[in-house]
Amino acid sequence: MNVLWLQSGGCGGCTMSLLCAETPDLMAMLADAGIDFLWHPSLSEASGAEAVELLSACASGARPLDVLCVEGALLRGPHGSGRFHMLAGTGRPMIEWVRELAGRATHTVAVGTCAAYGGVSAAGANLTDACGLQYDGDASGGLLGAEYRSGSGLPVINVAGCPTHPDWVIETLLALALGEFGAEAMDALGRPRFYADHLVHHGCSRNEFYEFKASAEKPSDLGCMMEHMGCKGTQAHADCNLRPWNGMGSCTSGGYPCISCTEPGFEEPGHPFAETPKVGGIPIGLPTDMPKAWFVALAALSKSATPKRVRVNATADHAVIAPVNRKTGLK
Amino acid sequence: MSRQILGPFNRVEGDLEVSLESEAGRVTAAWVNSPMYRGFEQILVGKAPSDALVMVPRICGICSVSQSVAAAAALADASGARMPPNGERAVNLMLATENLADHLTHFYLFFMPDFAREAYAGQPWFDDIAARFKAVRGAATAEALAARARFFRIMGLLAGKWPHTLSIHAGGSARAVGPTERVRLLSMVREFRAWLERHLFGDRLEAVTAIDSLEALWAWADTAGPAASDLGRFLQLCRALDLGALGQAPGVPRYLSHGNYPVDGVPGFARGVWDADAAAVTPFDAADVAEDIAHAWLAGSATARHPLEGQTHPDADKADAYSWCKAPRWRGHTVQCGALSRQVVDGHPLARDLVMQGGGNVMSRVIGRLLEIARVVPLMEQWLRALAPGEPFHVPTTLPDEACGTGLVEAARGALGHWLVVRRGRIHNYQIIAPTTWNFSPRDASGVPGALEQALVDTPVGAGDTMPVAVQHVVRSFDPCMVCTVH
C-alpha cells in the first residue's frame, strides 16, 4: 500500500509527532505492514523536479495512489485563489494539487485537526480561508465537499488531534493496509472510533480529585482542572489518558487542561482556554451525557465529603498529605 | 546567464522555493521565497494574552517549545514576573530537549541523506555513507529516530507531551517534579548521552567540547578515523568535498544570539552580536531591530518598523514582492543566526576559529550544531541535579491591562523574538521574528539580500541540473524552519 503525504496550512507537528512513535524502528514496522511512503516532505530523498514528477504521475492516474495523507489546513484564500499556499516549484496552489490527487486516491486521510476541520490555522477571522479536507469546523463540506468519497467509497478519514498521536496515524494506516477499515470504524465526525469512542477523562490521573470536585486553582496545582481551569477532558473524544504520549505523558498529567484539540472548532472556544466559563458559579461545559441537575447535586454532595488529603493536595504542586495506612479488612 | 526555480525543497520544515541566476556554472544571484502564509499575528489580535500560550506553539511543530518559551518570556516581561529557580531549570530542560532533538533530526533526517544521493555514486566514501545515511532506509535513520523518541520521554514526564506542550507559563512550569521523577529524568538524559557518545561522537562529550581549534578538530578526526563516529564521517565529507568553502556569506559577517538557558536570570549562553570583521561582540539591544517589507507580499509602511509597531497585512498582488517573509535587520544590517552564532557569541574557541577561518559555511554551521549537542547535555545534567523537589516550580502572575513585553529566546535555528502589546486586557499587537526570518529574509528596501540569498552566491551548479546537490547542502546547512519564518 503506497502513501503520498502532503503538508499544507499547518505546522508540521503531526509529522514530528509521528516520528515520536514508541517503536524501536518506525520505518521497518511500516514496511513490514506493506506500507510504503511514495513521498513524504520530511523523510524522502526526492526533491524538486523529481518530486513534482511523482506527484504529477499520481495526479494523472499514471501511478496508482492507495492513500493520500494531508497534514495541515487547506488555504483557499485570497478570494478562492489558493495563493496563500503555492506548492513550491510548480506555480500551482496546493488546493488544486489536493483536489486532483484526492480524486485518484483509494483512501484520503486527514492527519491532524487542521486537515480534518481547519484547526488553529482557521482561528480568528480566518484571513486565509482555511478549512479541512471535508469539514469547515463542524460543518461538512470543506475543500472536497460533503459528497466526496475516495476510491474505496469512504469519506475522508479524520485522524484529528493537535497534534495527532503517532499511534492514531499508524493504527489507521495499518487497518487500511489490512483492509479492515470500513465506514463502521468512523464516528459521526469522520474520526477513527478506536480512539474517538473514548473521552480524555478516561484514565485521567486526576480522577480522584474529579470525584470530590477538589479543584486546581492555578497552574501547577494537582487538583481537577474542570471547575476553574477550562479542562474539557469530560467532553473531548480521545484516549489520551489511556495511551501515553512520549512514553509516559498526557496534557492533564503535564499540568494543563484538555483543550479538546480533537474536536472541530476547538481553536475558538469563545473564552480564554485556561478559564472555565460559568453561569451562576456552575460550569457551562458539563459532561455531555450527564443531566445538569444531577451534576450539581452530586458535586455539592461530593464536595461536602472531600477528605482533607484530597482537598489540601488539590491546590498544592506535590502531594502534601499521603494516604494513611489503615487496616481495611479487605481480603 | 540562466535562471531556474527550485522546489519543492523538502527535508526542510515547511515550504520553500529558491530562484537562482547562474553563469559559467556558478550561482550569481538567489531569491528565497517562503510560499505559504497562515497569519498567526492577526489570529492573536483581540485574544486574552494567556491564549498566546495555546496558539503560538502551533506556529511550528518542530520548535513549538521555543515559541512557548518566547511567549512566556514576553508575558513575563509585560507582567514583571520572574520564574522561581525550579521553574527556570524545568523550562531550560524542555527547551534543551527540543533544541537537541532538532539538531539530531536535522543531522540524520534532513541534512546527511543528500550525501547518499546517486550524484555521489563512485566516490570512495559513497558505499559507507549510503548504507548509513540513505533517506528512510539508512541504518542511522532507524537508530536516530529511536534515540530521538526515547529522548522525548523527558517531555512526556516533564511536560505531558511534545509537540505543543502547554506547561510553560510566565511564572514557571505547571508540572512540578518529584524526587524520584528527577532521578528518572536524569536517567533519560544519561541514556541519550550514551547514544551520542557511541554513535554521533565516538568519544566523551567532554572530549568533543574540549576541541578548541580547526587544527585540533582535524587532529581529533585523524585519531579515530571516519568509521568510528558519524561526526568522523561528516568530517571526512568536509575534506573530500571542501564543505568549509561552500555556502559562505562574506557580506554577512554578523552572528546574532539572543542568549539562552537562564539560571538565576543570567543566560547560560551569552547574548550579543559577533562581528567577524572586528572580531568583537557588540551587546544586543532589541531596540536595534526593525522589519522591512519592501519585497514581502505585505501592505504597509515602506520604512522598516520596530516589531512593537510592526504590522502584518497580506497583499498577494504586491509588485516587486516575492516572499511572505519579512526582512528583519539589526542596525540596518543583514545578520545570520543559529547554533553556530550562539557558540560564536558565547566564545567557544572552536566556533570562533571556524568562523574566523572560513566564515559561516556548510561545515561550520553543522559543526556548530553538533558542538552544541555536546555542550548542552552536561548542562541538562546540572539543571536536573539542581532541581529542588518540594520548592515551587511556578509562581502566580498578574498581567496589567495595559502593557508591552518582549520575549527573546534561542530556538534550535537561532534568534526568536516575540513582541506583545496589551490594551484593555486584550492582545492589541503581536509580532514575531523567527530564526529563519533572519536567515531566509528576502531583499530589503535597499536591495540588500538576506543571509541565505548571499550564501548561495558562488555555489556550483551543473548545466541542466534541475536540483543541484551543492545548493541543497547550502540551503539545508541553515536547517530552515519555513513554517516559523512566515507564521
Side-chain angles (χ1 to χ4, degrees):
Chain A
M1 183 177 87
N2 68 41
V3 178
L4 174 63
W5 187 300
L6 298 178
Q7 293 172 334
S8 190
C11 69
C14 291
T15 284
M16 286 300 133
S17 180
L18 175 66
L19 299 182
C20 291
E22 291 280 319
T23 170
D25 191 340
L26 173 65
M27 292 301 150
M29 194 253 270
L30 293 172
D32 180 61
I35 295 165
D36 168 40
F37 281 125
L38 272 180
W39 195 70
H40 184 295
S42 294
L43 303 170
S44 295
E45 178 178 302
S47 226
E50 274 175 284
V52 176
E53 209 170 289
L54 198 147
L55 262 55
S56 302
C58 291
S60 70
R63 184 151 194 175
L65 176 58
D66 297 324
V67 183
L68 172 67
C69 286
V70 177
E71 176 182 358
L74 292 311
L75 307 182
R76 294 171 295 187
H79 313 298
S81 68
R83 285 162 68 199
F84 281 131
H85 184 201
M86 303 292 281
L87 178 58
T90 71
R92 289 182 71 202
M94 184 58 105
I95 55 171
E96 283 185 19
W97 281 102
V98 169
R99 278 194 193 112
E100 268 188 32
L101 290 162
R104 299 284 184 183
T106 307
H107 302 285
T108 300
V109 177
V111 181
T113 300
C114 287
Y117 310 123
V120 160
S121 304
N126 194 3
L127 205 74
T128 57
D129 201 10
C131 66
L133 280 170
Q134 203 168 11
Y135 277 87
D136 193 345
D138 57 8
S140 190
L143 181 79
L144 300 175
E147 304 308 313
Y148 169 81
R149 296 293 180 269
S150 64
S152 64
L154 291 179
V156 173
I157 302 164
N158 289 325
V159 189
C162 184
T164 191
H165 192 289
D167 290 358
W168 300 343
V169 177
I170 292 168
E171 288 169 21
T172 302
L173 290 177
L174 292 184
L176 287 172
L178 288 168
E180 293 176 1
F181 195 98
E184 74 292 344
M186 298 161 74
D187 80 351
L189 290 162
R191 295 174 298 199
R193 291 178 55 190
F194 69 82
Y195 79 87
D197 277 359
H198 289 282
L199 297 173
V200 170
H201 181 61
H202 298 166
C204 177
S205 60
R206 295 170 190 248
N207 278 355
E208 191 186 30
F209 295 103
Y210 175 85
E211 288 167 27
F212 291 105
K213 297 293 163 290
S215 297
E217 292 171 2
K218 58 186 185 303
S220 89
D221 283 353
L222 294 179
C224 174
M225 295 184 285
M226 180 200 141
E227 189 178 7
H228 303 306
M229 298 185 63
C231 187
K232 297 193 170 117
T234 55
Q235 305 154 62
H237 289 246
D239 60 1
C240 295
N241 275 309
L242 297 172
R243 173 195 303 269
W245 286 75
N246 302 108
M248 53 190 60
S250 74
C251 288
T252 52
S253 77
Y256 42 91
C258 170
I259 57 171
S260 67
C261 73
T262 57
E263 306 293 324
F266 90 94
E267 68 277 5
E268 285 294 342
H271 61 84
F273 283 99
E275 288 175 23
T276 304
K278 297 174 194 173
V279 172
I282 309 291
I284 295 173
L286 296 178
T288 37
D289 38 16
M290 189 165 183
K292 189 170 179 177
W294 276 104
F295 181 88
V296 172
L298 281 172
L301 190 63
S302 59
K303 272 198 181 193
S304 68
T306 307
K308 184 181 177 198
R309 170 180 61 84
V310 177
R311 192 176 68 246
V312 169
N313 289 347
T315 52
D317 70 2
H318 59 284
V320 180
I321 303 175
V324 292
N325 288 309
R326 185 182 295 160
K327 282 190 179 166
T328 62
L330 292 176
K331 289 184 179 143
Chain B
M1 191 185 71
S2 68
R3 182 148 183 175
Q4 62 185 133
I5 295 174
L6 308 182
F9 245 100
N10 53 315
R11 278 182 286 116
V12 303
E13 188 52 43
D15 287 73
L16 169 66
E17 184 175 274
V18 177
S19 302
L20 297 177
E21 235 170 51
S22 55
E23 206 163 339
R26 297 265 163 187
V27 173
T28 50
W31 291 263
V32 174
N33 173 12
S34 311
M36 186 175 81
Y37 177 80
R38 285 177 298 153
F40 274 76
E41 287 159 333
Q42 288 103 329
I43 287 172
L44 286 160
V45 171
K47 296 202 178 304
S50 62
D51 281 356
L53 296 170
V54 176
M55 304 307 273
V56 301
R58 282 146 171 112
I59 288 171
C60 180
I62 193 165
C63 47
S64 71
V65 165
S66 314
Q67 298 284 355
S68 299
V69 174
L75 289 164
D77 185 38
S79 62
R82 175 101 181 253
M83 292 186 190
N86 275 341
E88 224 173 24
R89 290 182 172 92
V91 171
N92 283 351
L93 283 162
M94 293 183 234
L95 183 58
T97 302
E98 179 177 273
N99 279 358
L100 298 195
D102 266 7
H103 290 341
L104 198 74
T105 309
H106 175 260
F107 185 77
Y108 283 104
L109 296 185
F110 295 173
F111 182 73
M112 291 303 282
D114 285 324
F115 298 99
R117 285 177 172 280
E118 282 307 304
Y120 290 122
Q123 297 281 351
W125 41 262
F126 181 77
D127 290 345
D128 172 59
I129 293 292
R132 185 115 190 102
F133 296 111
K134 186 89 179 155
V136 183
R137 296 197 303 280
T141 307
E143 287 175 20
L145 273 178
R148 176 185 177 278
R150 293 284 292 175
F151 186 50
F152 268 127
R153 288 183 311 139
I154 292 172
M155 298 302 285
L157 199 161
L158 195 59
K161 73 167 187 208
W162 182 94
H164 304 340
T165 170
L166 296 174
S167 57
I168 297 159
H169 293 254
S173 169
R175 172 65 156 90
V177 174
T180 56
E181 291 173 332
R182 179 171 151 272
V183 175
R184 284 171 81 186
L185 288 166
L186 197 54
S187 76
M188 295 175 197
V189 175
R190 296 180 73 85
E191 181 184 322
F192 188 58
R193 171 193 270 269
W195 191 89
L196 295 170
E197 291 183 342
R198 192 171 306 132
H199 298 283
L200 180 54
F201 297 116
D203 203 344
R204 292 277 297 163
L205 301 185
E206 286 73 8
V208 174
T209 57
I211 298 171
D212 59 0
S213 67
L214 192 50
E215 194 186 3
L217 181 65
W218 292 132
W220 179 89
D222 288 336
T223 308
S229 68
D230 292 327
L231 171 57
R233 290 186 175 91
F234 174 66
L235 291 171
Q236 175 193 27
L237 295 172
C238 288
R239 273 179 169 153
L241 301 169
D242 202 9
L243 298 180
L246 186 67
Q248 295 174 328
V252 194
R254 295 173 188 85
Y255 298 81
L256 163 68
S257 172
H258 283 162
N260 231 13
Y261 306 130
V263 171
D264 301 324
V266 179
F269 288 154
R271 172 177 295 182
V273 180
W274 169 259
D275 185 327
D277 291 343
V281 172
T282 307
F284 172 80
D285 184 342
D288 294 332
V289 173
E291 282 196 291
D292 176 304
I293 57 168
H295 295 279
W297 284 305
L298 297 168
S301 164
T303 41
R305 284 177 178 240
H306 185 267
L308 280 177
E309 278 95 44
Q311 292 185 345
T312 308
H313 302 297
D315 176 6
D317 298 316
K318 182 169 158 181
D320 297 330
Y322 62 90
S323 177
W324 291 106
C325 181
K326 293 183 183 178
R329 295 292 183 263
W330 174 76
R331 296 185 177 177
H333 298 295
T334 304
V335 302
Q336 47 184 306
C337 61
L340 177 65
S341 295
R342 256 188 316 270
Q343 296 306 319
V344 163
V345 170
D346 195 53
H348 191 278
L350 173 60
R352 289 260 171 102
D353 197 38
L354 282 166
V355 165
M356 293 312 281
Q357 294 209 31
N361 59 59
V362 171
M363 170 172 154
S364 58
R365 284 181 208 109
V366 174
I367 300 287
R369 252 173 234 120
L370 301 184
L371 173 64
E372 186 162 275
I373 294 177
R375 288 192 74 193
V376 171
V377 169
L379 289 177
M380 295 179 77
E381 292 163 352
Q382 282 176 30
W383 299 327
L384 272 167
R385 288 202 183 90
L387 283 185
E391 301 288 319
F393 280 72
H394 176 273
V395 290
T397 60
T398 314
L399 185 71
D401 281 350
E402 307 282 319
C404 290
T406 302
L408 303 177
V409 66
E410 283 286 313
R413 292 158 194 78
L416 170 65
H418 285 203
W419 283 265
L420 162 74
V421 181
V422 178
R423 296 272 179 271
R424 293 189 289 281
R426 294 275 153 174
I427 294 173
H428 176 74
N429 195 13
Y430 204 109
Q431 296 289 319
I432 298 155
I433 303 181
T436 310
T437 321
W438 288 102
N439 288 332
F440 283 36
S441 140
R443 283 154 173 73
D444 58 27
S446 314
V448 179
L452 173 66
E453 293 185 331
Q454 296 193 41
L456 280 168
V457 172
D458 221 27
T459 302
V461 291
D465 193 346
T466 54
M467 198 57 161
V469 74
V471 169
Q472 301 189 53
H473 297 328
V474 175
V475 168
R476 295 199 182 102
S477 73
F478 283 93
D479 191 8
C481 184
M482 309 311 296
V483 287
C484 283
T485 309
V486 295
H487 38 270

